[in-house]
Amino acid sequence: MSNAPGTPAVAPMLGPVLGIETSCDETAAAVYDPLRGLLSNRLYSQTELHRSYGGVVPEIASRSHIEKIEIIVSQALSDAGMTLADITTIGVTTTPGLPGSLLVGCCFAKGLAYGAQKQLIGVNHLSGHIYSACIEQNVPFPFLCLTASGGHTSLYYVRDYTTFTLLGTTLDDASGEAFDKVAKLMNLGYPGGPRIETLAEQVNFQDFFHYPRLKKKTLSFSFSGLKTAVLYNLVEQGAYDLPTKTFLEPENISLQQKVASSLLVCVKDIFIDRLSQALEQHPDAQAITFVGGVACNKYLRREISAWAQKKQRPLFFPSPCYCTDNAAMIAFVAHKKAVQGLFDDLSLDIF
Ligand code: KG4
Ligand code: ZN
């Protein structure tokens, strides 16, 4: 820490926090007030810009952030009934994420902090997800957190607002990525998770194809093999042509439903297996949280709730708007860091 702009010159002030998030394909800003809670939460989603590519294109993402960030921040301030003058601290995501996207948010936040003499705090995007269930509810510590998104699938033991331990993470693809890639195989569009859920619901979440579960004593995850298993399952059924990478049955809704449902049930089993092992290793955990974009999935919420109930632990998940990427979680974590005096100066950088 130093006394350069961005760092409190005298005693730090605990006032309203402006949070900024640009790590991937959402430009987001939010205001969190220590006394009144979350006052605003604005977001521009780039989903439509990337849809035809079947995934996020980094160059398009960073250009779009540059176009939108100023208006989104202004809207978040005005929704909160504030101007920049009312803000004491700016929290911004600095890692992990797409470098070009992170740089837009980080440079914007540093410019604001310098120009308007605000305190500055860099926030890890994953810690944003980890504490996202705490924005609206009091989650008792310590708790186990399953973070499942398009970029990450990890299990954490969370001791308090600043200390958490990674218990296991994915060795390859994330769970949301598996949904997105399987959806792409069947021309279902991006993002795949919601489409997979809708199709699976239509056949009542039955397990038709019994995709491999990798039953091992481990807290790690691996989803790339699952995607390959689905691919070869489609090839075997004559529904996918490997040499031309073409899905041959776009009108076969029944097949899409069966694949989607079997995939979702498989992911559910893997999640519950890892959560069970984690709880065996950390029986002092008072609660379970399920967060990240994949935690929007109502079937997974229901099944993990039933499991948690059997284990006599309360399960908390955020409202869907705090599951997918958002700036509310970044403003919230920045406030918790401000309470601890964990400020940054203008040398703040990404990664
Ligand atoms: O947290 P998020 O917005 O972005 C990352 O940080 O990655 O998560 C996006 C991911 C995508 O992979 C998307 O397919 C998945 O969350 N997702 C879902 C559902 N809604 C979004 N996965 C399963 N079921 C859903 N309902
Ligand atoms: Zn995320």
Side-chain angles (χ1 to χ4, degrees):
M1 278 213 288
S2 80
N3 287 338
T7 321
V10 204
M13 283 164 38
L14 293 180
V17 178
L18 169 67
I20 297 175
E21 154 68 38
T22 62
S23 66
C24 189
D25 60 341
E26 265 97 20
T27 316
V31 175
Y32 184 86
D33 182 273
L35 300 175
R36 294 182 289 162
L38 191 70
L39 298 183
S40 65
N41 187 30
R42 277 279 177 167
L43 181 137
Y44 169 75
S45 169
Q46 303 175 0
T47 303
E48 288 309 319
L49 299 181
H50 302 286
R51 196 184 292 283
S52 61
Y53 301 93
V56 177
V57 183
E59 180 67 19
I60 294 176
S62 44
R63 280 174 186 272
S64 173
H65 285 308
I66 290 171
E67 278 170 21
K68 298 291 179 194
I69 191 159
E70 192 181 350
I71 178 77
I72 291 294
V73 165
S74 302
Q75 286 171 344
L77 287 170
S78 110
D79 288 355
M82 291 185 176
T83 67
L84 194 55
D86 301 306
I87 297 292
T88 57
T89 305
I90 299 170
V92 62
T93 306
T94 50
T95 192
L98 300 170
S101 292
L102 286 167
L103 272 174
V104 176
C106 185
C107 292
F108 191 86
K110 283 165 67 170
L112 278 189
Y114 180 73
Q117 293 288 300
K118 304 296 176 189
Q119 297 164 164
L120 182 65
I121 294 181
V123 176
N124 181 307
H125 179 83
L126 294 173
S127 68
H129 279 302
I130 290 171
Y131 297 106
S132 59
C134 308
I135 298 174
E136 301 160 289
Q137 311 149 99
N138 274 323
V139 182
F141 293 106
F143 61 81
L144 292 175
C145 171
L146 173 59
T147 303
S149 72
H152 308 276
T153 301
S154 309
L155 254 175
Y156 299 91
Y157 176 78
V158 187
R159 195 176 295 282
D160 55 41
Y161 276 121
T162 43
T163 331
F164 55 84
T165 313
L166 176 68
L167 303 178
T169 191
T170 181
L171 304 172
D172 39 58
D173 292 354
S175 49
E177 201 175 349
F179 291 133
D180 296 335
K181 286 184 173 173
V182 168
K184 194 173 178 183
L185 282 180
M186 299 194 292
N187 301 344
L188 296 175
Y190 173 84
R195 283 290 288 138
I196 296 281
E197 179 174 17
T198 306
L199 286 163
E201 190 175 13
Q202 289 161 0
V203 287
N204 209 17
F205 306 106
Q206 292 178 68
D207 187 6
F208 297 91
F209 297 128
H210 309 290
Y211 295 131
R213 260 74 168 161
L214 268 184
K215 273 265 175 200
K216 271 205 289 187
K217 269 237 160 294
T218 176
L219 292 178
S220 304
F221 300 87
S222 167
F223 292 102
S224 85
L226 181 54
K227 189 215 91 177
T228 309
V230 173
L231 173 65
Y232 281 99
N233 178 230
L234 289 172
V235 171
E236 268 168 31
Q237 297 186 67
Y240 195 88
D241 183 52
L242 265 183
T244 57
K245 295 188 176 156
T246 311
F247 184 55
L248 304 170
E249 303 261 355
E251 307 302 321
N252 189 344
I253 303 294
S254 162
L255 176 66
Q256 293 167 9
Q257 289 168 332
K258 286 178 177 169
V259 169
S261 190
S262 305
L263 174 69
L264 190 50
V265 175
C266 183
V267 170
K268 178 266 293 178
D269 285 347
I270 292 168
F271 281 176
I272 290 181
D273 176 76
R274 299 305 187 271
L275 282 168
S276 301
Q277 291 189 53
L279 192 55
E280 269 168 35
Q281 290 180 23
H282 297 276
D284 63 330
Q286 302 297 301
I288 315 292
T289 67
F290 178 35
V291 304
V294 175
C296 289
N297 190 291
K298 291 191 278 306
Y299 167 77
L300 292 173
R301 284 180 177 224
R302 207 168 56 231
E303 292 292 316
I304 295 174
S305 290
W307 167 83
Q309 206 172 358
K310 269 194 232 143
K311 300 290 177 186
Q312 297 178 316
R313 298 295 194 290
L315 174 74
F316 297 88
F317 25 70
S319 297
C321 64
Y322 308 131
C323 284
T324 46
D325 288 349
N326 65 88
M329 65 187 191
I330 303 305
F332 182 77
V333 171
H335 166 64
K336 296 295 177 191
K337 289 183 83 171
V339 170
Q340 305 269 329
L342 299 171
F343 295 96
D344 290 287
D345 61 30
L346 290 176
S347 65
L348 182 69
D349 203 351
I350 63 166
F351 304 131

